[in-house]
């Protein structure tokens, strides 16, 4: 059977011979061809999206994640990309798909970022793809299989218009975005290396919207996990707060958390206590997602534990908050001790001048397409993501994927017509960047 790509190209060729579906005054002839090609490939793109959604690819369904990669590999190869599957056995994850297109070597080098996995594991009751007019429902339909389809739709349109030939583009689709494997330096080595080669990075997770308007996103916050372990001197409860017995582990834990609440707040920072326990015994399970505790009401608790996160907008803010937390923990109550471990899961992506300039270029595209300008999204409204791993090395934009609702929840939806809008934006922006000297 012919591939989706060949069917799409046949449809595109017919449409291009008949002329563009529409033309905006600000577009060049090639860009009008890009726009027409996106429209022509729309139904074929939805058909492929359905196939992707029908295949479960929860992060821990390693075979399912790899199956999505196998479905996408020939689509990129048909566009002239060299495609590699990078197994991640060391991190206990499936792997990453990396596709590279060698252009003229003269224009900006572009990195496209998406992911293959979803939060819905193989045993999830939320399954299948359902279309209701211009809305689709299914696991990962927006996050991030819809985004992956925007990437393909944009690249196919560039090929049909003859603008892909000179573009230097690298695509990295990670297989563990929803739960990054460990060790992190191995899990994100390929993405970080791609970021160092790139001049621009475009992240194809969900498009942000406010009051029905598309919003640009130039920043996202970090994700840092903290684990607090507190010890105290045990004994009969009648001796609590005495010089010999001290305050016990739970009061020390409560002091620390209360101090976090009163001393840490600052703009763009959030912090949370997600799990807590204490008593004669208290411990996390291997995944650190459950805590077991036991004790008696008349015994001073010798141990208490807590775990949570904090999110920051810059490397400097992460360092400052870390140091504040460590200082708070060090101020022990009598006869107690405490330690805090802080793990960085995702670095921050700060709102830089380079990112703003890139959003301005995207708004030039919006103007020429006859679309409204996109304002900046408040970074507090955007979670952590893979583009943050390359933010220190290249300018970037977030939210180049589809719009929709209910990500990470049963009933997740995607607005299918946003595929066209987003693919046109991405393809024209990439065409212009590819013509901009390094």
């Amino acid at each position: 059977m012919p591939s989706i790509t060949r069917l799409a190209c046949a449809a595109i060729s017919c449409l291009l011979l008949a002329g563009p579906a529409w033309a905006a005054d600000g577009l060049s002839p090639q860009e009008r061809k890009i726009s027409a090609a996106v429209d022509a490939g729309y139904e074929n793109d939805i058909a492929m999206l359905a196939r992707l959604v029908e295949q479960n690819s929860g992060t821990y369904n390693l075979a399912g994640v790899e199956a999505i990669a196998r479905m996408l590999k020939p689509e990129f190869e048909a566009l002239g990309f060299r495609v590699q599957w990078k197994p991640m056995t060391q991190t206990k994850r499936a792997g990453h798909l990396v596709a590279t297109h060698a252009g003229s070597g003269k224009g900006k080098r572009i990195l496209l970022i998406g992911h293959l996995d979803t939060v819905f594991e193989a045993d999830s009751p939320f399954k299948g793809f359902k279309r209701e007019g211009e809305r689709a429902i299914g696991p990962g339909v927006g996050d991030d299989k819809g985004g992956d389809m925007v990437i393909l739709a944009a690249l196919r349109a560039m090929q049909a218009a003859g603008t892909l030939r000179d573009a230097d583009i690298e695509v990295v689709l990670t297989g563990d975005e929803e739960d990054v494997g460990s060790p992190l330096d191995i899990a994100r080595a390929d993405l970080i290396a791609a970021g160092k080669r790139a001049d621009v990075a475009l992240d194809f997770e969900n498009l942000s919207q406010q009051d029905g308007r598309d919003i640009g996103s130039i920043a996202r916050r970090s994700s840092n996990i903290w684990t607090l372990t507190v010890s105290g001197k045990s004994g009969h409860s009648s001796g609590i707060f005495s010089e010999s017995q001290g305050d016990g582990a739970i009061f020390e834990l409560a002091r620390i958390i209360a101090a976090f609440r009163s001393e840490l707040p600052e703009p763009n920072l959030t912090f949370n206590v997600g799990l807590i326990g204490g008593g004669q015994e208290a411990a996390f399970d291997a995944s650190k997602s459950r805590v077991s505790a036991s004790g008696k009401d008349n015994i001073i608790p010798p141990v208490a534990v807590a775990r949570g996160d904090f999110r920051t907008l810059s490397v400097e803010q992460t360092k400052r908050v870390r140091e504040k937390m460590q200082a708070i923990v060090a101020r022990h109550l009598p006869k107690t001790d405490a330690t805090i471990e802080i793990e960085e899961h995702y670095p921050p992506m700060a709102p830089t001048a380079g990112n703003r300039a890139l959003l301005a270029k995207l708004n030039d595209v919006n103007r020429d397409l006859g679309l409204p300008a996109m304002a900046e999204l408040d970074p507090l409204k955007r979670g952590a993501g893979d583009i943050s791993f390359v933010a220190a090395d290249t300018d970037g934009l977030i939210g180049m994927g589809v719009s929709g609702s209910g990500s990470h929840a049963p009933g997740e939806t995607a607005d299918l017509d946003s595929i066209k809008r987003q693919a046109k934006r991405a393809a024209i922006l990439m065409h212009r960047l590819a013509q901009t000297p390094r």
Side-chain angles (χ1 to χ4, degrees), residues 306-343:
R307 186 170 168 86
D309 76 350
F310 71 90
R311 297 169 185 262
T312 59
L313 191 55
S314 68
V315 172
E316 293 76 19
Q317 187 176 40
T318 301
K319 181 175 182 292
R320 181 169 61 250
V321 172
R322 178 193 292 265
E323 290 173 351
K324 284 183 179 180
M325 295 177 81
Q326 290 168 334
I328 290 169
V329 169
R331 302 196 303 256
H332 305 308
L333 291 176
K335 304 294 182 181
T336 67
D337 195 6
T339 60
I340 188 168
E341 296 178 8
I342 298 173
E343 312 162 51

Side-chain angles (χ1 to χ4, degrees), residues 159-351:
Q159 184 188 56
T163 64
L164 181 60
R165 180 183 59 253
D166 292 334
D168 290 284
I169 298 174
E170 188 165 3
V171 182
V172 178
L173 304 180
T174 58
D176 61 348
E177 195 273 345
E178 301 295 0
D179 192 353
V180 179
S182 178
L184 195 60
D185 59 345
I186 294 175
R188 286 297 173 268
D190 293 299
L191 179 60
I192 291 170
K196 293 183 183 300
R197 291 189 289 268
D199 299 305
V200 171
L202 304 178
D203 179 310
F204 284 80
E205 287 201 294
N206 293 75
L207 169 67
S208 295
Q209 292 185 314
Q210 289 181 351
D211 301 321
R213 294 175 65 93
D214 297 347
I215 303 294
S217 187
I218 64 166
R220 60 194 317 167
R221 295 185 302 154
S222 66
S223 175
N224 308 278
I225 309 300
W226 56 266
T227 304
L228 186 60
T229 304
V230 181
S231 61
K233 186 175 180 181
S234 188
H236 196 282
S237 63
S238 61
I240 190 74
F241 309 136
S242 68
E243 185 176 343
S244 61
Q245 293 298 136
D247 289 23
I250 289 179
F251 275 115
E252 168 68 347
L253 182 69
R255 175 200 70 81
I256 292 170
I257 290 173
F260 285 172
R261 180 68 182 88
S262 62
E263 298 179 34
L264 291 182
E266 61 179 72
N268 297 314
L269 169 71
T270 56
F271 52 92
N272 179 58
V273 183
L275 196 60
I276 193 167
Q280 284 180 278
E281 296 180 349
F284 295 111
D285 68 357
S287 69
K288 295 188 177 179
S289 61
R290 293 180 178 84
V291 65
S292 60
S294 63
K296 292 186 176 181
D297 53 74
N298 61 351
I299 296 177
I300 299 171
V303 62
V305 294
R307 186 170 168 86
D309 76 350
F310 71 90
R311 297 169 185 262
T312 59
L313 191 55
S314 68
V315 172
E316 293 76 19
Q317 187 176 40
T318 301
K319 181 175 182 292
R320 181 169 61 250
V321 172
R322 178 193 292 265
E323 290 173 351
K324 284 183 179 180
M325 295 177 81
Q326 290 168 334
I328 290 169
V329 169
R331 302 196 303 256
H332 305 308
L333 291 176
K335 304 294 182 181
T336 67
D337 195 6
T339 60
I340 188 168
E341 296 178 8
I342 298 173
E343 312 162 51
E344 183 180 70
H345 280 202
Y346 284 90
M349 177 181 176

Side-chain angles (χ1 to χ4, degrees), residues 5 80 150 268 282 304 346 368 437:
T5 297
V150 171
N268 297 314
Y346 284 90
D368 295 340

Side-chain angles (χ1 to χ4, degrees), residues 199-201 217-220 313-316 348-360 376-377 379 387-388 390-398:
D199 299 305
V200 171
S217 187
I218 64 166
R220 60 194 317 167
L313 191 55
S314 68
V315 172
E316 293 76 19
M349 177 181 176
T352 64
N355 296 350
R356 285 199 170 92
L358 191 55
L359 178 58
E376 278 185 29
L377 180 73
I387 194 172
S388 295
V390 306
D393 298 306
T394 187
D395 300 328
L397 288 178
I398 309 156

